[in-house]
Amino acid sequence: MNLLNLPYFDPKISQKNGKRFIFDPIRRKHVTLTPEEWVRQHFVNYLITEKGYPKELLANEVTVSLNNQTKRCDTVVYDCDLKPVAIIEYKAPGVRITQDVFEQIAHYNISLHVDCLLVSNGLEHYGCRMDYDNATYAYLKEIPAYSELTG
């Protein structure tokens, strides 16, 4: 798998019937190892080990309903009251982060109404903070620590 612009960690990788799997500590199971999943597991590890995100307040593959359709957020971050505070969207390292990616995650946010949107392809990481009072958003200089989301 690709080297990423994230701290190294030693993921648990297994193989069965010629297919590779990676252990997801959030879902507590092995999942198919895709380039996007490789990014997710590295980014989640980064959030937990470097940015102070409690593992218990992260959820992967969260289903939301939008206009009678179900969509899945890659990762949702919750506060201690289990209110969603951030949505994270992952792309494979070869996929550029474009305005379309932010529009995708903003679409999910119609349902969750979080304050922070984060996107990563493992090489580039972007975030923005929502300002609902003024119907705008501001790009962040770096990925916020958990305390900045909930403080």
Side-chain angles (χ1 to χ4, degrees):
M1 284 277 141
N2 297 24
L3 287 176
L4 303 175
N5 184 19
L6 290 163
Y8 174 80
F9 88 109
D10 193 17
K12 296 177 185 170
I13 297 176
S14 62
Q15 192 161 334
K16 184 176 182 180
N17 299 327
K19 213 171 172 188
R20 290 172 40 147
F21 296 87
I22 188 167
F23 184 74
D24 180 347
I26 305 302
R27 291 178 275 184
R28 293 186 213 108
K29 67 179 185 176
H30 283 85
V31 295
T32 302
L33 179 55
T34 63
E36 184 179 304
E37 194 62 46
W38 182 250
V39 171
R40 180 197 330 254
Q41 294 308 319
H42 278 78
F43 199 83
V44 165
N45 179 72
Y46 164 70
L47 293 176
I48 293 167
T49 61
E50 305 284 326
K51 295 292 185 171
Y53 286 59
K55 182 172 82 169
E56 302 77 21
L57 296 176
L58 299 173
N60 288 335
E61 298 292 328
V62 175
T63 302
V64 295
S65 289
L66 297 167
N67 301 325
N68 296 323
Q69 293 181 351
T70 54
K71 302 286 184 179
R72 282 197 317 232
C73 299
D74 288 340
T75 300
V76 176
V77 181
Y78 296 90
D79 67 12
C80 292
D81 296 322
L82 300 182
K83 176 186 176 263
V85 293
I87 302 171
I88 309 169
E89 178 68 23
Y90 308 105
K91 297 297 180 190
V95 176
R96 289 189 50 225
I97 304 293
T98 63
Q99 187 62 35
D100 288 343
V101 176
F102 272 99
E103 288 175 15
Q104 176 186 0
I105 196 171
H107 190 70
Y108 298 158
N109 197 32
I110 292 169
S111 176
L112 294 179
H113 206 72
V114 301
D115 291 333
C116 186
L117 305 177
L118 305 172
V119 296
S120 176
N121 65 3
L123 303 172
E124 299 177 298
H125 326 292
Y126 298 100
C128 63
R129 186 166 300 277
M130 306 303 295
D131 179 350
Y132 293 105
D133 293 336
N134 296 306
T136 61
Y137 57 90
Y139 284 100
L140 303 171
K141 292 183 181 183
E142 63 182 55
I143 302 302
Y146 183 75
S147 60
E148 295 174 70
L149 292 178
T150 59

